[in-house]
Amino acid sequence: LAGYCALLRDITEQKNKQFDLLESEQRYRLMVEQVGDYGIFMLDTKGCIVSWNEGARRIKGYSAEDVIGKYFAIFYPEEDILNGKPAWELKIARSTGKYEEEGWRLRKDGSRFWANVVITAVYDAEGRLSGFGKVTRDLTERKMNEQALRESSDKYKQLAQELSLANSELSSVNRELEQFTA
């Protein structure tokens, strides 16, 4: 035995960076999972659900166990599915980077809700599509308020027309009375 050779390299900085990155990912995951006003979930490249947050559960009524692995079209009305809308939305997101719209979606119990939907294509470091991020917001209350406002506006327009007609009739009768009195 002629001796030993020991080679040491300080990897403290590399380990600290890995720890910081892991900690940052955990904070981000916790934040997304606990957001309650927005349904936030990930789809794989084929449109199957791979993650699910609390907001998605609250808005759509499904637990993570109910939906993980299923194609995301389960949230669309039948007419949209028959027209191929879910696949078309992914195609647009893939080609432009993002798809956004408002429209009707379905809850687990079959009820409809008005949703704002954003689908974003997610790419890895090499530029390959790794899936899609989908954010859904329930705007049903706003939609109902807009509809009520429109109906109220229409009703007031009709009343204004009726009042204008009644006013014209009263003016005519008033002129007749003035002529009679004269």
Side-chain angles (χ1 to χ4, degrees), residues 1 26 69-70 91 99 106 111 117 128 130 137 148 181-182:
L1 180 65
Q26 288 174 336
K70 293 189 178 171
K91 183 179 177 183
Y99 175 81
L106 296 177
S111 64
V117 175
R128 293 181 303 233
S130 61
R137 185 170 167 209
T181 345

Side-chain angles (χ1 to χ4, degrees), residues 36-113:
D37 293 339
Y38 293 85
I40 303 171
F41 54 99
M42 294 293 297
L43 307 172
D44 65 15
T45 57
K46 295 175 182 163
C48 293
I49 301 162
V50 295
S51 72
W52 194 248
N53 81 332
E54 174 59 24
R57 186 205 58 76
R58 191 184 63 72
I59 292 169
K60 297 176 186 270
Y62 291 94
S63 69
E65 294 78 27
D66 293 334
V67 295
I68 299 289
K70 293 189 178 171
Y71 188 59
F72 80 112
I74 61 173
F75 311 123
Y76 290 73
E78 186 177 349
E79 60 271 15
D80 287 346
I81 294 170
L82 294 174
N83 291 327
K85 186 173 183 181
W88 179 78
E89 290 177 358
L90 292 183
K91 183 179 177 183
I92 298 298
R94 183 179 288 123
S95 66
T96 66
K98 179 174 138 180
Y99 175 81
E100 184 171 2
E101 75 149 6
E102 288 187 10
W104 292 109
R105 296 296 186 270
L106 296 177
R107 290 189 175 91
K108 182 178 181 179
D109 65 7
S111 64
R112 288 180 179 229
F113 68 99

Side-chain angles (χ1 to χ4, degrees), residues 149-180:
L149 185 61
R150 262 192 313 277
E151 289 171 2
S152 179
S153 176
D154 291 345
K155 184 187 259 186
Y156 287 120
K157 284 178 186 175
Q158 182 182 354
L159 284 172
Q161 288 174 345
E162 290 172 5
L163 284 172
S164 178
L165 181 62
N167 194 21
S168 294
E169 289 175 1
L170 280 173
S171 291
S172 176
V173 168
N174 206 14
R175 279 191 300 277
E176 288 176 13
L177 282 173
E178 285 174 353
Q179 286 176 355
F180 178 75

